[in-house]
Amino acid sequence: MQNDHDYMQIALRLARQAAARGEVPVGAVAVDEHGCVIARAANQVEMLKDGTAHAEMIALTQAAAAVGDWRLTAVTLYATKEPCPMCAGAMVNCRLGRLVFGCPDPRGGAAGGGLNLLDFPGLLHRVEAVGGVGAEESRQLLQNFFQNRRRSAPAAECKIEDMDAPWPENLSMN
């Protein structure tokens, strides 16, 4: 029988594959009540040119197809990073049974970091969440990705003649 760490290793492998494709390295794996992996995904935002193509969203869609129902009460989702508000909202809406995530996101996370949609009073469902599984590996992967991106980003050039262009009338100078 596999444990949370084992499933998170699968998600981390998917995150590394995403990074190799130039995607933000986030991976997600959905597991049913029998311990069977029923969905696996990595970020595809850049590839699909779709801001909603987060690993968690794709894995939730795959899991619903595998289960044959939109209600995922017996499913555990493993994600390498604390979910954003969009993904956390989708987890609540599909009645996810449990979330296990790697590194926290204190600013943008919605499972207790910046806010907590998974346990928000008034919503019809609450998702059990466990954070910190594989956190260091996940954090390091994200940090390395963004450090490399900053290093390889070309410096923006501002030509002096651009300064003489007329200011658009519909924009305020204030």
Side-chain angles (χ1 to χ4, degrees):
M1 179 105 174
Q2 293 190 336
N3 60 35
D4 289 347
H5 180 75
D6 296 331
Y7 293 116
M8 187 59 74
Q9 289 303 309
I10 299 169
L12 283 162
R13 192 173 6 197
L14 292 162
R16 286 189 285 276
Q17 292 170 1
R21 292 191 313 270
E23 298 281 355
V24 173
V26 176
V29 175
V31 177
D32 70 11
E33 69 270 25
H34 306 294
C36 296
V37 174
I38 58 172
R40 59 182 81 212
N43 274 359
Q44 296 180 31
V45 171
E46 300 299 333
M47 182 176 74
L48 297 177
K49 307 293 185 229
D50 178 358
T52 67
H54 291 193
E56 302 95 326
M57 298 293 284
I58 296 166
L60 290 171
T61 300
Q62 291 174 357
V67 169
D69 192 358
W70 61 270
R71 293 170 194 88
L72 301 176
T73 55
V75 172
T76 298
L77 184 73
Y78 295 85
T80 57
K81 182 187 141 319
E82 181 180 352
C84 72
M86 173 184 66
C87 295
M91 291 172 195
V92 170
N93 285 340
C94 72
R95 316 293 194 263
L96 183 67
R98 183 170 175 253
L99 167 69
V100 177
F101 65 89
C103 68
D105 183 352
R107 288 186 306 174
L115 67 148
N116 192 350
L117 288 177
L118 301 181
D119 192 27
F120 192 81
L123 294 180
L124 296 176
H125 180 74
R126 292 188 178 177
V127 178
E128 176 191 344
V130 176
V133 177
E136 184 56 32
E137 288 175 80
S138 184
R139 184 188 63 75
Q140 195 63 53
L141 188 58
L142 286 160
Q143 281 183 337
N144 291 345
F145 176 81
F146 286 112
Q147 285 172 354
N148 290 337
R149 181 180 268 182
R150 282 190 292 276
R151 266 186 241 134
S152 64
E157 288 187 33
C158 180
K159 298 178 184 134
I160 197 70
E161 56 267 17
D162 292 342
M163 301 303 287
D164 295 328
W167 191 258
E169 290 178 24
N170 62 338
L171 295 179
S172 168
M173 292 281 290
N174 299 341

